[in-house]
Structure formats: structure tokens, C-alpha cells
Amino acid sequence: METHHIILSFHECATRYGLSETDVREFLELGLLHAAPDTPNALHEEPDHVALLARLHHELGLSKDSLEVILAMRQRLEQLQQELGQQRARVRQLEVFLRGTGPMLDIDLR
């Protein structure tokens, strides 16, 4: 899956996502967002990530401190889903091989 990063000013975050500059600075301090390297008062992020943070914080009322836990759990869930997909592919290959109808291919599990 391809990801796209953009540069967003703190002001754009307020306009697009309803995050105040204070919110953005606190998210930066918590490591939930990343500052743009060559642009002051700006972020280098995936737009979907900023939107997710804003939604979790504002719409669901989650505290900024709890967002780190939620995002870590989300990342782990995505990793487990990917691993499950790989294991299912291996099982399908093994079933085909055991039936004698095809070659066994090596799947990289990393």
C-alpha cells in the first residue's frame, strides 16, 4: 500500500481538521505527529493520520495521552491482519501442493 506524505501548516490543521495549534504542538511533543524538517510550524504527515487523530480526540473525546495507546493497538492490529493474510496464502499453497496439483512457492513472511 502506497502512502503519501504532505506538508501541513499548523494553521491548515486548524482549518481542515479542527485542531488548534496547541493541540498540534502537544501531539508533536507526544510523538503522535512529526514536524516538517525544513518548514517551521508545519507537519510532515499522511493526511489520513492527522484526520484520524482529530477524530479520535474531538469526536470520540479521547485524551491526548490515550491516543498513543490507541494508535499502537491499531498498528499492531494491521500487522496481525497482514500476517494472517500471509499465513492463509501459505495454507492455500500447502493444500494445493498436498493435492499434487501445483508447485510449492516460497513466501517471504517478513
Side-chain angles (χ1 to χ4, degrees):
M1 181 166 94
E2 189 176 335
T3 59
H4 300 281
H5 288 83
I6 61 172
I7 304 296
L8 287 169
S9 71
F10 291 1
H11 177 72
E12 288 174 314
C13 286
T15 303
R16 289 184 187 186
Y17 305 106
L19 294 172
S20 68
E21 286 195 30
T22 303
D23 288 336
V24 173
R25 289 183 197 289
E26 288 177 8
F27 289 152
L28 281 168
E29 289 173 9
L30 290 169
L32 300 174
L33 294 173
H34 302 95
D38 300 326
T39 309
N41 295 323
L43 303 173
H44 182 245
E45 287 295 334
E46 295 175 48
D48 292 343
H49 181 69
V50 179
L52 176 65
L53 278 176
R55 190 173 138 254
L56 290 171
H57 181 59
H58 289 296
E59 293 178 22
L60 299 179
L62 297 175
S63 71
K64 291 176 181 121
D65 294 328
S66 66
L67 293 176
E68 185 177 9
V69 174
I70 298 296
L71 294 175
M73 288 173 33
R74 181 176 184 258
Q75 182 179 15
R76 181 67 177 136
L77 177 61
E78 289 172 352
Q79 179 186 5
L80 289 170
Q81 288 172 332
Q82 182 180 9
E83 290 174 12
L84 178 61
Q86 291 172 339
Q87 292 300 328
R88 285 181 174 161
R90 290 187 74 195
V91 166
R92 283 191 299 274
Q93 280 186 343
L94 183 58
E95 288 171 344
V96 167
F97 177 76
L98 291 174
R99 282 189 241 124
T101 58
M104 187 75 154
L105 303 175
D106 187 28
I107 295 180
D108 184 14
L109 294 178
R110 288 178 253 150

